[in-house]
Amino acid sequence: MTKATALRVEKPPLSSPSVEPRELAALRQLERKVMWLAAWTIHHANHVRPARDEVKVGGHQASCASSATLLSALYFHALRPQDRVAVKPHASPVFHAIQYLLGNQTRDKLAAFRAFGGAQSYPSRTKDTDDVDISTGSVGLGGAMTLFASLVQDYVRLHDLAPAERPDGRMIALFGDAELDEGNVFEALLEGWKHDVRNAWWIIDYNRQSLDSIVTDRLFARLDGVFTSMNWDVRTLKYGKLLRAAQDGPGGEALLNWIDTCPNQLYSAITFKGGNAWRQRLTRDLGDSAGIRELLDSHGDAALHALMTNLAGHDMETVLEAYDAAAESDRPTCFIAYTIKGFGLPLAGHKDNHSGLMTPDQMATFKAANGIADGDEWEPFAGLDMDADELRDFLGAVPFNQPATRCFETPKIPVPASLAVKTGAKAATQEAFGRILNELARGDSELAARIVTASPDVTVSTNLGPWVNRRRIFDRRERPDTFRAEDVASTQKWVMSPAGQHIELGIAENNLFLLLAALGLSGPLFGARLLPIGTLYDPFIARGLDALNYACYQDARFMLIGTPSGVTLAPEGGAHQSVTTPLIGMGQPGLTYFEPAYVDELAAIMRWGFNHMQADDGGSVYLRLSTRPIEQTGREMTAELADQVIAGAYWQIPPGPGADLALVYCGVVAPEVLAAFEALREDAPDAGLLAVPSADRLHADWLDAKRRRQAGEGDATSHAERLLAPLAPDAGLVTVLDGHPAALSWLAAVRGHRVAPLGVEAFGQSGDVADLYRHHRLDTDAILDAAAQVCVARATGR
Ligand SMILES: Cc1ncc(C[n+]2csc(CCOP(=O)(O)OP(=O)(O)O)c2C)c(N)n1
Ligand SMILES: [Mg+2]
């Protein structure tokens, strides 16, 4: 078999029974308009709208041109209101242009593309106003999320959480081909396969260009195999109708063979050069082949260029046929659609065109070619060859645009008045988390019915086992627990069932966060509110950090349990010890970080968390927990104390008036801090002991009070300011946590106190807790040294 025939795509029929000629004509007109509007939106932002600084505005005219047909065919023909789409980030102007033509986007927003409050550079669920389903921007994540959205849709249906008559939607991604370099895409593919995800379409805009360059030749022969082995239906759309018709004419076979074997770089370069360059090259390479002269002689330069660039991804009819043919498939489908980056523009095929912009002169030529008069640039139907009323009627009948709820409001799920659990005199927060979920699993609260847990292969080791034993593992089919059936003793019952409420993932933290994003948007996307809880080892938050950021960016709501954390999981050693996660928790928008020391704090925080996940102005919650059992307080968790825990801090032992020392701590180091406090008491009887279950809440509130004062609310104060008010103005603080010291050292700035910050700044070691606390200077002696240091500094005025 020659290379050419190996690559040849099966020839599909030329007829298009599913699309009426008038519909096809209208779609071609609209595709042209979308192409124009996208290019104009970017041009306007860069060259027409006045600039106030030297920073480039940017936009991606070539990426847009590449995908205009694929997206027009999708939105104006194949899509239904219940479908959900992730559009490759750089096609944002195409998406907005389509929504504009459908009446869902305003001209003002388009004119303000990439300006404050305007249409966003990359489609955004939270900031765009034209119904973005799935945000994109960080390549690879949006597409992968469609698989998890599909899984969540299955979950909602199999749990009867949405009205049975509501039709299932298809989860669709338009991918740039270079997005498939991102490893998270393959992690998601594997997980999707394991979970038998079916209802998904991935449309790959195969322009063989990325940002820097042309992608490796024949990459897609490999990728085709990857999708096939995951049981996807792969549909390669290579030639448009012109090329397919030419195949049967003189020189046709030779011509298509030439294209099949042409290196991507060469094809792109000649595409950029245009008509005569094709003629020269084909004469040189194929001059002796039968029929080629006839073929070349019967095509002028423009016609030859049109023929040679007639790839299927720019051929409306071919794309429509492909979408229609795939509509009934019950397998996930991948369309590999050959395209040209910058198709139809003077940027076409140039390897540097990713951020390329047409010059004003080029734009003027493009505008004339589109028949658009000055002042008509934003007119929806200007310059088209079809009556505006007919196009309006067509748009009015587009299936996607029929009245339907696309963003669901869902009622809030009540949260029980208390989630408190009993533990022994000593307990660890991780163990208590497991108990709280176990208690919920035993009951029949609505909250428990809406909780979905997920973990990347650390279900048992993060104490989700008891919950899973009761609520079982989700699977589309009933699957017995073989070990149980074989009478092999185990505390874990791993029965799988469509009614299960735990989603077991392979070890891929990216997938955990993408699943949490999809579960956490189940309310607005699928009309069924879910309360997802994801558990993972705290250090591995960093592995999926971009996906976590992405989930928060979309305002998905979930509870994240990072456990075990810090150096406190001592013997496990440095590879599993998290240092910076408190700073991630504080810095990440949309995520509120807590690190409780005691079980009663944890129960109050989880209760608050379930409400916060449902509040209109709420967000997600991150709990950094530990496996180290510590002595509990035996106190009563009053409503007032719970409020302070949620506000971020409380005086575990209040300071005397004008006290000159306070020990401040977060989390599992409580015993060392308490011991140091007891030792200090004699010398510093007025000292206070401040517990900080949420440095994040405390810090955010402090900044908020400053803003409110600036805005004229003169008596606004923050919790931190009120808490620290009783201390002497020159008092010293010793702050302690099992994490980076910067998470607490800022407290010294609240009232200008001195601080000695203790925490972890280096990679960990193996050892027991005593060894490691001594090594990292978190032990009682280190705390006493630090207290002495701030006291000396105070006495000497330094
Ligand atoms: C995670 C991530 N890394 C880098 C980028 C910067 N970037 C934006 S687009 C792009 C190349 C995209 O190429 P492709 O997906 O093929 O899109 P198209 O050719 O359609 O423009 C890169 C590297 C990004 N957006 N996200
Ligand atoms: Mg590309």
Side-chain angles (χ1 to χ4, degrees), residues 479-660:
R479 295 180 203 270
D481 178 346
T482 308
F483 277 78
R484 236 179 138 62
E486 295 292 329
D487 281 333
V488 179
S490 165
T491 48
Q492 313 302 327
K493 296 181 212 145
W494 285 67
V495 180
M496 301 189 181
S497 139
Q501 284 182 253
H502 172 74
I503 299 179
E504 180 67 10
L505 298 171
I507 328 167
E509 287 71 17
N510 272 307
N511 283 339
L512 172 71
F513 292 122
L514 292 177
L515 174 61
L516 290 176
L519 288 166
L521 289 170
S522 173
L525 288 179
F526 304 119
R529 190 187 287 275
L530 296 174
L531 293 163
I533 302 177
T535 67
L536 83 171
Y537 291 177
D538 197 57
F540 304 131
I541 284 181
R543 173 68 80 102
L545 193 52
D546 194 31
L548 169 62
N549 178 59
Y550 174 73
C552 294
Y553 179 69
Q554 300 197 73
D555 200 22
R557 303 296 178 83
F558 50 89
M559 185 177 283
L560 181 65
I561 309 293
T563 187
S565 61
V567 299
T568 306
L569 80 163
E572 287 269 346
H576 278 34
Q577 295 169 351
S578 59
V579 176
T580 57
T581 43
L583 300 180
I584 290 171
M586 290 178 76
Q588 177 62 54
L591 189 71
T592 303
Y593 149 62
F594 288 90
E595 184 159 351
Y598 299 109
V599 172
D600 58 355
E601 294 172 2
L602 174 69
I605 291 165
M606 285 182 71
R607 182 171 181 275
W608 179 87
F610 287 127
N611 282 315
H612 185 66
M613 286 158 69
Q614 304 190 64
D616 293 342
D617 60 350
S620 291
V621 186
Y622 159 44
L623 309 186
R624 190 171 186 257
L625 305 184
S626 176
T627 44
R628 181 191 186 197
I630 64 169
E631 192 76 30
Q632 300 296 301
T633 62
R635 69 193 164 192
E636 185 194 348
M637 177 55 66
T638 61
E640 196 203 343
L641 179 55
D643 284 350
Q644 295 211 39
V645 167
I646 300 307
Y650 62 91
W651 283 114
Q652 196 163 333
I653 300 168
D660 43 28

Side-chain angles (χ1 to χ4, degrees), residues 639-768:
E640 196 203 343
L641 179 55
D643 284 350
Q644 295 211 39
V645 167
I646 300 307
Y650 62 91
W651 283 114
Q652 196 163 333
I653 300 168
D660 43 28
L661 179 68
L663 302 189
V664 181
Y665 80 95
C666 170
V668 70
V669 291
E672 283 66 29
V673 181
L674 272 168
F677 191 82
E678 287 310 321
L680 279 168
R681 268 230 146 134
E682 216 168 288
D683 293 335
D686 285 341
L689 176 62
L690 188 71
V692 185
S694 181
D696 188 10
R697 293 268 295 166
L698 201 61
H699 184 256
D701 175 59
W702 176 51
L703 297 191
D704 186 55
K706 282 176 178 293
R707 269 192 301 270
R708 284 190 288 135
R709 285 200 290 269
Q710 256 159 14
E713 211 183 308
D715 56 356
T717 60
S718 65
H719 189 51
E721 287 161 328
R722 290 189 298 273
L723 283 170
L724 298 179
L727 300 181
D730 59 350
L733 309 178
V734 176
T735 60
V736 195
L737 78 156
D738 180 358
H740 197 276
L744 289 179
S745 60
W746 62 271
L747 275 163
V750 173
R751 287 194 172 271
H753 291 129
R754 287 189 170 73
V755 67
L758 300 180
V760 181
E761 297 162 77
F763 289 117
Q765 304 279 339
S766 289
D768 61 14

Side-chain angles (χ1 to χ4, degrees), residues 60 62-64 66-67 88-91 122 137-141 174-180 182 205-213 215 339 341 353-354 546:
H60 303 86
S63 301
C64 287
S66 181
S67 59
K88 71 169 187 177
H90 306 85
Y122 307 122
S138 177
V139 297
L141 296 180
L174 178 87
F175 269 93
D177 49 350
E179 291 194 66
L180 287 126
E182 287 285 3
D205 181 348
Y206 184 30
N207 59 28
R208 291 146 290 141
Q209 285 189 240
S210 58
L211 190 158
D212 281 337
S213 63
V215 304
T339 54
K341 193 152 171 170
N353 66 9
H354 183 73
D546 194 31

Side-chain angles (χ1 to χ4, degrees), residues 386-402:
M386 201 180 229
D387 181 54
D389 284 338
E390 190 175 352
L391 285 170
R392 244 179 238 115
D393 289 349
F394 176 86
L395 286 168
V398 161
F400 170 69
N401 222 23
Q402 299 316 302

